[in-house]
Coordinates of all heavy atoms in Angstrom, one line a residue:
M13 N 0.8 -1.2 0.0 CA 0.0 0.0 0.0 C 0.9 1.3 0.0 O 0.7 2.1 -0.8 CB -0.9 0.0 1.2 CG -2.0 -1.1 1.3 SD -3.1 -1.0 -0.1 CE -4.5 -0.2 0.7
S14 N 1.8 1.3 1.0 CA 2.7 2.5 1.1 C 3.5 2.6 -0.2 O 3.9 3.7 -0.6 CB 3.5 2.5 2.4 OG 4.3 1.3 2.4
Y15 N 3.9 1.5 -0.8 CA 4.7 1.6 -2.0 C 4.0 2.3 -3.1 O 4.5 3.2 -3.8 CB 5.1 0.2 -2.4 CG 5.8 0.2 -3.7 CD1 7.2 0.5 -3.8 CD2 5.2 -0.1 -4.9 CE1 7.9 0.5 -5.0 CE2 5.8 -0.1 -6.1 CZ 7.2 0.2 -6.1 OH 7.9 0.2 -7.3
D16 N 2.7 2.0 -3.3 CA 1.9 2.7 -4.3 C 1.8 4.2 -4.0 O 1.9 5.0 -5.0 CB 0.5 2.1 -4.3 CG 0.4 0.7 -5.0 OD1 1.4 0.4 -5.7 OD2 -0.5 0.0 -4.7
R17 N 1.6 4.5 -2.8 CA 1.5 5.9 -2.4 C 2.8 6.6 -2.8 O 2.8 7.7 -3.3 CB 1.2 6.0 -0.9 CG 1.1 7.4 -0.4 CD -0.3 8.0 -0.6 NE -0.3 9.4 -0.4 CZ -0.6 10.3 -1.4 NH1 -0.8 9.8 -2.6 NH2 -0.5 11.6 -1.2
M18 N 3.9 6.0 -2.4 CA 5.2 6.6 -2.7 C 5.5 6.8 -4.2 O 5.9 7.8 -4.7 CB 6.3 5.8 -2.1 CG 6.7 6.1 -0.7 SD 8.0 5.1 0.0 CE 9.4 5.6 -1.0
S19 N 5.1 5.8 -5.0 CA 5.4 5.8 -6.4 C 4.6 6.9 -7.1 O 5.0 7.5 -8.1 CB 5.2 4.5 -7.1 OG 3.8 4.1 -7.0
D20 N 3.4 7.3 -6.5 CA 2.6 8.3 -7.0 C 3.3 9.7 -6.8 O 3.1 10.6 -7.6 CB 1.2 8.4 -6.4 CG 0.3 7.3 -7.0 OD1 0.6 6.8 -8.1 OD2 -0.8 7.1 -6.4
D21 N 4.0 9.8 -5.7 CA 4.6 11.1 -5.4 C 6.0 11.2 -6.0 O 6.6 12.3 -5.9 CB 4.7 11.3 -3.9 CG 3.3 11.4 -3.3 OD1 2.4 11.8 -4.1 OD2 3.1 11.2 -2.1
T22 N 6.5 10.2 -6.5 CA 7.9 10.2 -7.0 C 8.0 11.2 -8.2 O 7.2 11.1 -9.2 CB 8.3 8.8 -7.5 OG1 8.2 7.9 -6.4 CG2 9.8 8.8 -7.9
P23 N 8.9 12.2 -8.2 CA 9.0 13.1 -9.3 C 9.6 12.4 -10.5 O 9.3 12.9 -11.7 CB 10.0 14.2 -8.8 CG 10.7 13.5 -7.7 CD 9.8 12.5 -7.1
C24 N 10.3 11.3 -10.3 CA 11.0 10.7 -11.5 C 10.0 9.6 -12.0 O 10.0 8.5 -11.6 CB 12.3 10.0 -11.1 SG 13.1 9.3 -12.4
V25 N 9.2 10.1 -12.9 CA 8.2 9.2 -13.5 C 8.2 9.1 -15.0 O 7.3 8.8 -15.7 CB 6.8 9.6 -13.0 CG1 6.5 9.1 -11.6 CG2 6.5 11.0 -13.1
I26 N 9.4 9.4 -15.5 CA 9.6 9.3 -16.9 C 9.8 7.8 -17.3 O 10.7 7.1 -16.7 CB 10.8 10.1 -17.4 CG1 10.6 11.6 -17.1 CG2 11.1 9.9 -18.9 CD1 9.5 12.2 -18.0
I27 N 9.0 7.3 -18.1 CA 9.2 5.9 -18.5 C 9.6 5.8 -20.0 O 9.3 6.7 -20.8 CB 7.9 5.1 -18.3 CG1 6.7 5.8 -19.1 CG2 7.5 5.0 -16.8 CD1 5.5 4.9 -19.2
I28 N 10.3 4.7 -20.3 CA 10.7 4.5 -21.6 C 9.7 3.5 -22.2 O 9.4 2.4 -21.6 CB 12.1 3.9 -21.8 CG1 13.1 5.0 -21.3 CG2 12.4 3.5 -23.2 CD1 14.5 4.5 -21.2
A29 N 9.0 3.9 -23.2 CA 7.9 3.0 -23.8 C 8.0 3.1 -25.3 O 8.7 3.8 -25.9 CB 6.6 3.5 -23.3
E30 N 7.1 2.3 -25.8 CA 7.0 2.3 -27.3 C 5.7 2.9 -27.6 O 4.7 2.6 -27.0 CB 7.0 0.8 -27.8 CG 7.3 0.7 -29.3 CD 7.5 -0.8 -29.6 OE1 6.4 -1.5 -29.8 OE2 8.6 -1.3 -29.8
C31 N 5.7 3.9 -28.5 CA 4.4 4.5 -29.0 C 3.5 3.4 -29.5 O 3.9 2.6 -30.3 CB 4.7 5.5 -30.1 SG 3.2 6.1 -30.8
I32 N 2.3 3.4 -28.9 CA 1.4 2.3 -29.3 C 0.9 2.4 -30.7 O 0.5 1.4 -31.3 CB 0.1 2.3 -28.3 CG1 -0.7 1.0 -28.5 CG2 -0.7 3.5 -28.5 CD1 -1.9 0.9 -27.6
S33 N 1.1 3.6 -31.3 CA 0.6 3.8 -32.6 C 1.6 3.5 -33.7 O 1.4 2.8 -34.7 CB 0.0 5.2 -32.7 OG -0.5 5.5 -34.0
C34 N 2.8 4.1 -33.5 CA 3.9 4.0 -34.6 C 5.1 3.2 -34.1 O 6.0 3.0 -34.9 CB 4.3 5.4 -35.1 SG 5.2 6.3 -33.9
H35 N 5.1 2.7 -32.9 CA 6.1 1.9 -32.3 C 7.5 2.5 -32.2 O 8.5 1.8 -32.1 CB 6.2 0.5 -33.1 CG 4.8 -0.1 -33.2 ND1 4.2 -0.7 -32.1 CD2 4.0 -0.3 -34.2 CE1 3.1 -1.2 -32.4 NE2 2.9 -1.0 -33.7
T36 N 7.5 3.8 -32.2 CA 8.8 4.5 -32.0 C 9.1 4.5 -30.5 O 8.2 4.7 -29.7 CB 8.6 6.0 -32.4 OG1 8.4 6.0 -33.8 CG2 9.9 6.8 -32.1
P37 N 10.3 4.2 -30.1 CA 10.6 4.3 -28.6 C 10.6 5.7 -28.2 O 11.2 6.6 -28.8 CB 12.1 3.7 -28.6 CG 12.4 3.1 -29.9 CD 11.5 3.8 -30.9
I38 N 9.9 5.9 -27.1 CA 9.8 7.3 -26.6 C 10.0 7.3 -25.1 O 9.8 6.3 -24.4 CB 8.4 7.9 -26.8 CG1 7.2 7.0 -26.4 CG2 8.2 8.2 -28.3 CD1 5.8 7.6 -26.4
M39 N 10.4 8.5 -24.5 CA 10.4 8.7 -23.1 C 9.2 9.5 -22.8 O 9.1 10.7 -23.2 CB 11.7 9.4 -22.7 CG 12.9 8.5 -22.9 SD 14.5 9.4 -22.6 CE 14.4 9.6 -20.8
A40 N 8.4 9.0 -21.9 CA 7.1 9.7 -21.7 C 6.9 9.7 -20.2 O 7.3 8.8 -19.4 CB 6.0 8.9 -22.4
H41 N 6.2 10.8 -19.7 CA 5.8 10.9 -18.3 C 4.6 9.9 -18.1 O 3.6 9.9 -18.8 CB 5.3 12.3 -18.0 CG 5.3 12.6 -16.5 ND1 4.3 12.1 -15.8 CD2 6.1 13.3 -15.7 CE1 4.5 12.5 -14.5 NE2 5.5 13.3 -14.5
R42 N 4.8 9.2 -17.0 CA 3.8 8.1 -16.6 C 2.4 8.7 -16.5 O 1.4 8.1 -16.8 CB 4.2 7.4 -15.3 CG 3.5 6.2 -15.0 CD 4.3 5.4 -13.9 NE 4.4 6.2 -12.7 CZ 3.5 6.2 -11.8 NH1 2.4 5.5 -11.9 NH2 3.6 6.9 -10.7
L43 N 2.3 9.9 -16.0 CA 1.0 10.5 -15.7 C 0.5 11.5 -16.7 O -0.7 11.6 -17.0 CB 1.0 11.2 -14.3 CG 1.4 10.4 -13.1 CD1 1.5 11.2 -11.9 CD2 0.4 9.2 -12.9
Y44 N 1.5 12.2 -17.3 CA 1.1 13.3 -18.2 C 1.1 13.1 -19.7 O 0.6 13.9 -20.4 CB 1.9 14.6 -17.8 CG 1.8 15.0 -16.4 CD1 2.9 15.3 -15.6 CD2 0.5 15.1 -15.8 CE1 2.8 15.7 -14.3 CE2 0.4 15.5 -14.5 CZ 1.5 15.8 -13.7 OH 1.4 16.1 -12.4
A45 N 1.8 12.0 -20.1 CA 1.9 11.8 -21.5 C 0.5 11.4 -22.1 O -0.2 10.7 -21.4 CB 2.9 10.7 -21.8
P46 N 0.2 11.9 -23.3 CA -1.0 11.4 -23.9 C -0.9 9.9 -24.1 O 0.1 9.4 -24.4 CB -1.1 12.2 -25.2 CG 0.3 12.6 -25.5 CD 1.0 12.7 -24.1
S47 N -2.1 9.3 -24.0 CA -2.1 7.8 -24.2 C -3.4 7.3 -24.8 O -4.4 8.0 -24.8 CB -1.9 7.1 -22.8 OG -2.9 7.4 -21.9
L48 N -3.3 6.2 -25.3 CA -4.5 5.5 -25.9 C -4.6 4.2 -25.2 O -3.6 3.6 -24.7 CB -4.3 5.3 -27.4 CG -4.1 6.5 -28.3 CD1 -3.9 6.1 -29.7 CD2 -5.4 7.4 -28.2
R49 N -5.8 3.6 -25.2 CA -6.0 2.3 -24.6 C -5.7 1.2 -25.6 O -6.2 1.3 -26.8 CB -7.4 2.2 -24.0 CG -7.6 3.1 -22.8 CD -8.8 2.7 -22.0 NE -9.0 3.7 -21.0 CZ -8.4 3.6 -19.8 NH1 -7.7 2.6 -19.5 NH2 -8.7 4.5 -18.9
D50 N -5.0 0.2 -25.2 CA -4.8 -0.9 -26.1 C -6.0 -1.9 -26.0 O -7.0 -1.6 -25.4 CB -3.4 -1.6 -25.8 CG -3.4 -2.3 -24.5 OD1 -4.5 -2.4 -23.8 OD2 -2.3 -2.8 -24.1
D51 N -5.8 -3.0 -26.7 CA -7.0 -4.0 -26.8 C -7.4 -4.5 -25.4 O -8.5 -4.9 -25.2 CB -6.6 -5.2 -27.7 CG -6.4 -4.7 -29.1 OD1 -6.9 -3.7 -29.4 OD2 -5.7 -5.4 -29.9
D52 N -6.4 -4.5 -24.4 CA -6.7 -5.0 -23.1 C -7.2 -3.9 -22.2 O -7.4 -4.1 -21.0 CB -5.4 -5.6 -22.5 CG -4.9 -6.8 -23.3 OD1 -5.8 -7.5 -23.8 OD2 -3.7 -7.0 -23.4
G53 N -7.3 -2.7 -22.7 CA -7.8 -1.6 -21.9 C -6.7 -0.9 -21.1 O -7.0 -0.1 -20.3
Q54 N -5.5 -1.2 -21.4 CA -4.3 -0.6 -20.7 C -4.0 0.7 -21.4 O -4.0 0.8 -22.6 CB -3.1 -1.5 -20.7 CG -3.0 -2.4 -19.5 CD -1.6 -2.9 -19.3 OE1 -1.0 -3.4 -20.3 NE2 -1.1 -2.8 -18.1
R55 N -3.6 1.7 -20.6 CA -3.2 3.0 -21.1 C -1.8 2.9 -21.6 O -0.9 2.5 -20.9 CB -3.3 4.1 -20.1 CG -4.7 4.5 -19.7 CD -4.7 5.5 -18.7 NE -4.3 6.8 -19.2 CZ -3.3 7.5 -18.7 NH1 -2.7 7.1 -17.6 NH2 -3.0 8.7 -19.2
C56 N -1.6 3.2 -22.9 CA -0.2 3.1 -23.5 C 0.1 4.5 -24.1 O -0.7 5.1 -24.8 CB -0.2 2.1 -24.6 SG -0.6 0.5 -24.0
P57 N 1.3 5.0 -23.8 CA 1.7 6.4 -24.2 C 1.8 6.4 -25.8 O 2.1 5.4 -26.4 CB 3.0 6.6 -23.6 CG 3.5 5.3 -23.1 CD 2.4 4.4 -23.0
I58 N 1.5 7.6 -26.3 CA 1.8 7.8 -27.7 C 2.8 8.9 -27.9 O 2.9 9.8 -27.0 CB 0.5 8.1 -28.5 CG1 -0.2 9.3 -28.0 CG2 -0.4 6.9 -28.5 CD1 -1.4 9.8 -28.8
C59 N 3.5 8.9 -29.0 CA 4.5 9.9 -29.2 C 3.9 11.2 -29.6 O 2.7 11.3 -29.9 CB 5.6 9.4 -30.2 SG 4.9 9.4 -31.9
K60 N 4.8 12.2 -29.7 CA 4.3 13.6 -30.0 C 3.6 13.7 -31.3 O 2.6 14.3 -31.5 CB 5.5 14.6 -29.9 CG 5.0 16.0 -29.7 CD 6.2 16.9 -29.6 CE 6.9 16.8 -28.2 NZ 8.1 17.7 -28.1
S61 N 4.3 13.1 -32.4 CA 3.7 13.2 -33.7 C 2.3 12.5 -33.8 O 1.4 12.9 -34.5 CB 4.7 12.8 -34.8 OG 5.2 11.5 -34.5
C62 N 2.2 11.3 -33.1 CA 1.0 10.6 -33.2 C -0.1 11.4 -32.4 O -1.3 11.4 -32.7 CB 1.1 9.2 -32.6 SG 2.0 8.1 -33.7
F63 N 0.3 12.1 -31.3 CA -0.6 12.9 -30.6 C -1.2 14.0 -31.4 O -2.4 14.3 -31.4 CB 0.1 13.5 -29.3 CG -0.7 14.5 -28.6 CD1 -1.8 14.1 -27.8 CD2 -0.5 15.9 -28.7 CE1 -2.5 15.0 -27.1 CE2 -1.2 16.8 -28.0 CZ -2.3 16.4 -27.2
H64 N -0.3 14.7 -32.2 CA -0.8 15.7 -33.1 C -1.7 15.2 -34.2 O -2.7 15.8 -34.6 CB 0.4 16.5 -33.7 CG 1.1 17.4 -32.7 ND1 0.5 18.5 -32.1 CD2 2.3 17.3 -32.2 CE1 1.3 19.0 -31.3 NE2 2.5 18.4 -31.3
L65 N -1.3 14.0 -34.7 CA -2.2 13.3 -35.7 C -3.6 13.0 -35.1 O -4.6 13.2 -35.7 CB -1.5 12.1 -36.2 CG -2.1 11.4 -37.4 CD1 -2.0 12.3 -38.6 CD2 -1.4 10.0 -37.6
W66 N -3.5 12.5 -33.8 CA -4.8 12.2 -33.1 C -5.6 13.4 -33.0 O -6.9 13.4 -33.2 CB -4.5 11.6 -31.8 CG -5.7 11.2 -31.0 CD1 -6.3 10.0 -30.9 CD2 -6.4 12.0 -30.1 NE1 -7.3 10.0 -30.1 CE2 -7.5 11.2 -29.6 CE3 -6.4 13.4 -29.7 CZ2 -8.4 11.7 -28.7 CZ3 -7.3 13.9 -28.8 CH2 -8.3 13.1 -28.3
N67 N -5.0 14.5 -32.6 CA -5.7 15.8 -32.5 C -6.4 16.2 -33.8 O -7.5 16.7 -33.8 CB -4.7 16.9 -32.1 CG -4.9 17.3 -30.6 OD1 -6.0 17.1 -30.0 ND2 -3.9 17.9 -30.1
K68 N -5.6 16.0 -34.9 CA -6.2 16.4 -36.2 C -7.4 15.6 -36.5 O -8.4 16.1 -37.0 CB -5.1 16.2 -37.3 CG -4.7 17.4 -38.0 CD -3.6 17.1 -39.0 CE -2.4 17.9 -38.6 NZ -1.2 17.6 -39.4
I69 N -7.3 14.2 -36.3 CA -8.4 13.3 -36.6 C -9.6 13.5 -35.7 O -10.7 13.6 -36.2 CB -7.9 11.9 -36.6 CG1 -6.8 11.7 -37.7 CG2 -9.0 10.9 -36.8 CD1 -6.1 10.4 -37.6
H70 N -9.3 13.5 -34.4 CA -10.4 13.5 -33.4 C -10.9 14.8 -33.0 O -12.0 14.9 -32.3 CB -10.0 12.6 -32.2 CG -9.8 11.2 -32.6 ND1 -10.9 10.3 -32.8 CD2 -8.7 10.5 -32.8 CE1 -10.4 9.1 -33.1 NE2 -9.1 9.2 -33.1
R71 N -10.1 15.9 -33.1 CA -10.5 17.2 -32.6 C -10.7 18.2 -33.7 O -11.8 18.7 -34.0 CB -9.5 17.7 -31.6 CG -9.2 16.7 -30.5 CD -10.3 16.5 -29.5 NE -10.6 17.7 -28.8 CZ -11.5 17.8 -27.8 NH1 -12.2 16.7 -27.4 NH2 -11.8 19.0 -27.2
T72 N -9.6 18.7 -34.3 CA -9.7 19.8 -35.2 C -10.5 19.5 -36.4 O -11.2 20.4 -37.0 CB -8.3 20.3 -35.6 OG1 -7.5 19.3 -36.1 CG2 -7.5 20.9 -34.4
S73 N -10.5 18.3 -36.9 CA -11.2 18.0 -38.1 C -12.7 18.0 -37.8 O -13.6 18.1 -38.7 CB -10.8 16.6 -38.7 OG -11.3 15.6 -37.9
K74 N -13.1 17.9 -36.5 CA -14.5 18.0 -36.2 C -14.9 19.3 -35.6 O -16.0 19.5 -35.0 CB -14.8 16.9 -35.1 CG -14.5 15.5 -35.5 CD -14.7 14.5 -34.4 CE -14.5 13.1 -34.9 NZ -14.5 12.1 -33.8
G75 N -14.0 20.3 -35.8 CA -14.3 21.7 -35.3 C -14.1 21.8 -33.8 O -14.5 22.8 -33.3
L76 N -13.4 20.9 -33.2 CA -13.1 21.0 -31.7 C -11.8 21.5 -31.5 O -10.9 21.5 -32.4 CB -13.2 19.6 -31.1 CG -14.6 18.8 -31.2 CD1 -14.4 17.4 -30.8 CD2 -15.6 19.5 -30.3
K77 N -11.6 22.1 -30.3 CA -10.3 22.6 -29.9 C -9.3 21.4 -29.7 O -9.7 20.4 -29.1 CB -10.4 23.4 -28.6 CG -10.8 24.8 -28.7 CD -10.6 25.5 -27.4 CE -11.3 26.8 -27.4 NZ -11.4 27.4 -26.0
P78 N -8.1 21.6 -30.2 CA -7.1 20.4 -30.0 C -6.8 20.3 -28.5 O -6.8 21.2 -27.7 CB -5.9 20.9 -30.8 CG -6.0 22.3 -30.9 CD -7.5 22.7 -30.9
E79 N -6.6 19.0 -28.1 CA -6.1 18.7 -26.8 C -4.7 19.4 -26.6 O -3.9 19.3 -27.6 CB -6.0 17.2 -26.5 CG -7.3 16.5 -26.5 CD -8.0 16.6 -25.2 OE1 -7.3 16.9 -24.2 OE2 -9.2 16.4 -25.1
T80 N -4.4 19.9 -25.5 CA -3.1 20.5 -25.3 C -2.2 19.5 -24.7 O -2.6 18.6 -23.9 CB -3.1 21.8 -24.4 OG1 -3.9 21.5 -23.2 CG2 -3.8 22.9 -25.2
L81 N -0.9 19.6 -25.0 CA 0.1 18.6 -24.5 C 0.5 19.2 -23.2 O 0.8 20.4 -23.0 CB 1.2 18.6 -25.5 CG 2.1 17.4 -25.5 CD1 1.4 16.1 -25.7 CD2 3.2 17.6 -26.6
H82 N 0.5 18.3 -22.1 CA 1.0 18.7 -20.8 C 2.5 19.1 -21.0 O 3.3 18.4 -21.7 CB 0.9 17.6 -19.8 CG 1.1 18.0 -18.4 ND1 2.3 18.2 -17.9 CD2 0.2 18.3 -17.4 CE1 2.2 18.6 -16.6 NE2 0.9 18.6 -16.3
P83 N 3.0 20.2 -20.3 CA 4.4 20.6 -20.4 C 5.3 19.5 -20.0 O 6.5 19.5 -20.4 CB 4.5 21.8 -19.5 CG 3.1 22.2 -19.1 CD 2.2 21.1 -19.5
L84 N 4.9 18.6 -19.1 CA 5.8 17.5 -18.6 C 5.5 16.2 -19.3 O 5.8 15.2 -18.8 CB 5.6 17.4 -17.1 CG 6.0 18.6 -16.3 CD1 5.7 18.4 -14.8 CD2 7.5 19.0 -16.5
A85 N 4.8 16.2 -20.4 CA 4.3 15.0 -21.0 C 5.5 14.1 -21.4 O 5.4 12.9 -21.3 CB 3.5 15.3 -22.2
Y86 N 6.6 14.7 -21.8 CA 7.7 13.9 -22.3 C 8.9 14.2 -21.5 O 8.9 15.1 -20.6 CB 7.9 14.1 -23.8 CG 6.7 13.6 -24.6 CD1 5.9 14.6 -25.2 CD2 6.5 12.3 -24.8 CE1 4.8 14.2 -25.9 CE2 5.4 11.9 -25.5 CZ 4.5 12.8 -26.1 OH 3.4 12.4 -26.8
S87 N 10.0 13.6 -21.8 CA 11.2 13.9 -21.0 C 11.7 15.3 -21.1 O 11.4 16.0 -22.2 CB 12.4 12.9 -21.5 OG 12.8 13.4 -22.8
P88 N 12.4 15.8 -20.1 CA 12.8 17.2 -20.1 C 13.6 17.6 -21.4 O 13.4 18.7 -21.9 CB 13.7 17.4 -18.9 CG 13.2 16.3 -18.0 CD 12.8 15.2 -18.9
E89 N 14.4 16.7 -21.9 CA 15.2 17.0 -23.1 C 14.3 17.3 -24.3 O 14.7 18.1 -25.2 CB 16.1 15.9 -23.5 CG 17.1 15.5 -22.4 CD 16.5 14.3 -21.6 OE1 16.6 13.2 -22.0 OE2 16.0 14.6 -20.5
E90 N 13.1 16.7 -24.3 CA 12.2 16.9 -25.4 C 11.3 18.1 -25.3 O 10.6 18.4 -26.2 CB 11.4 15.6 -25.6 CG 12.2 14.4 -26.1 CD 11.3 13.3 -26.4 OE1 10.5 13.4 -27.3 OE2 11.4 12.3 -25.7
L91 N 11.4 18.8 -24.2 CA 10.6 20.0 -24.0 C 10.9 21.1 -25.0 O 10.1 21.9 -25.4 CB 10.7 20.6 -22.6 CG 10.0 19.8 -21.5 CD1 10.3 20.5 -20.2 CD2 8.5 19.8 -21.7
Y92 N 12.2 21.0 -25.5 CA 12.6 22.1 -26.4 C 12.4 21.7 -27.9 O 12.8 22.4 -28.8 CB 14.0 22.5 -26.1 CG 14.2 22.8 -24.6 CD1 14.7 22.0 -23.7 CD2 13.7 24.1 -24.2 CE1 14.8 22.3 -22.4 CE2 13.8 24.4 -22.8 CZ 14.4 23.5 -21.9 OH 14.4 23.9 -20.6
D93 N 11.9 20.5 -28.0 CA 11.7 20.0 -29.4 C 10.3 20.4 -29.9 O 9.3 19.8 -29.5 CB 11.8 18.4 -29.3 CG 11.7 17.8 -30.6 OD1 11.8 18.5 -31.6 OD2 11.4 16.6 -30.6
E94 N 10.3 21.5 -30.6 CA 9.0 22.0 -31.1 C 8.4 21.1 -32.0 O 9.0 20.5 -32.9 CB 9.3 23.4 -31.7 CG 9.7 24.5 -30.8 CD 8.6 24.9 -29.8 OE1 7.4 24.9 -30.1 OE2 8.9 25.1 -28.6
P95 N 7.0 21.0 -31.9 CA 6.3 20.2 -32.9 C 6.5 20.8 -34.3 O 6.5 22.0 -34.5 CB 4.9 20.2 -32.5 CG 4.8 21.3 -31.5 CD 6.2 21.5 -30.9
C96 N 6.6 20.0 -35.4 CA 6.8 20.5 -36.7 C 5.6 20.9 -37.4 O 5.6 21.4 -38.5 CB 7.6 19.5 -37.5 SG 6.9 17.9 -37.5
N97 N 4.4 20.8 -36.8 CA 3.2 21.2 -37.5 C 2.4 22.2 -36.7 O 2.2 22.1 -35.6 CB 2.3 20.0 -37.9 CG 2.1 19.1 -36.8 OD1 2.7 19.2 -35.7 ND2 1.2 18.2 -36.9
Ligands
ZN7 ZN1 3.8 7.5 -32.5

């Protein structure tokens, strides 16, 4: 029980994962990275370009505001990596 509590408060929650959509290895924040559910209902992170693609398909193409990316969604090194679109 206490272990779960501690892991929630841990600032170091960057995980290395594979984007569920394009299978690119990414460093993503366990809580803040955008994610999709896989076939088993598990949340799996998606990379930045897939996130922008998802926004285009599910939000802006329907006249909705795009979801914003959390500033801590990805690893700190990637914060300065501006999206290309
Ligand atoms: Zn991707």
Side-chain angles (χ1 to χ4, degrees):
M13 293 299 259
S14 57
Y15 175 78
D16 284 340
R17 181 84 194 114
M18 272 178 68
S19 62
D20 279 348
D21 292 339
T22 304
C24 183
V25 280
I26 298 292
I27 55 168
I28 296 173
E30 197 174 78
C31 170
I32 190 176
S33 182
C34 70
H35 305 292
T36 300
I38 52 170
M39 289 175 73
H41 195 288
R42 194 165 59 86
L43 302 176
Y44 301 133
S47 61
L48 297 175
R49 290 192 187 275
D50 68 7
D51 295 338
D52 299 324
Q54 266 202 311
R55 289 178 74 235
C56 301
I58 59 171
C59 71
K60 199 180 286 180
S61 52
C62 288
F63 173 75
H64 287 295
L65 190 63
W66 181 93
N67 253 339
K68 238 175 248 176
I69 295 168
H70 295 281
R71 308 288 298 184
T72 54
S73 73
K74 297 175 181 174
L76 300 166
K77 277 189 192 170
E79 292 280 339
T80 52
L81 202 56
H82 193 284
L84 298 176
Y86 298 105
S87 73
E89 303 94 80
E90 287 185 67
L91 284 179
Y92 305 101
D93 182 17
E94 291 294 321
C96 50
N97 46 353

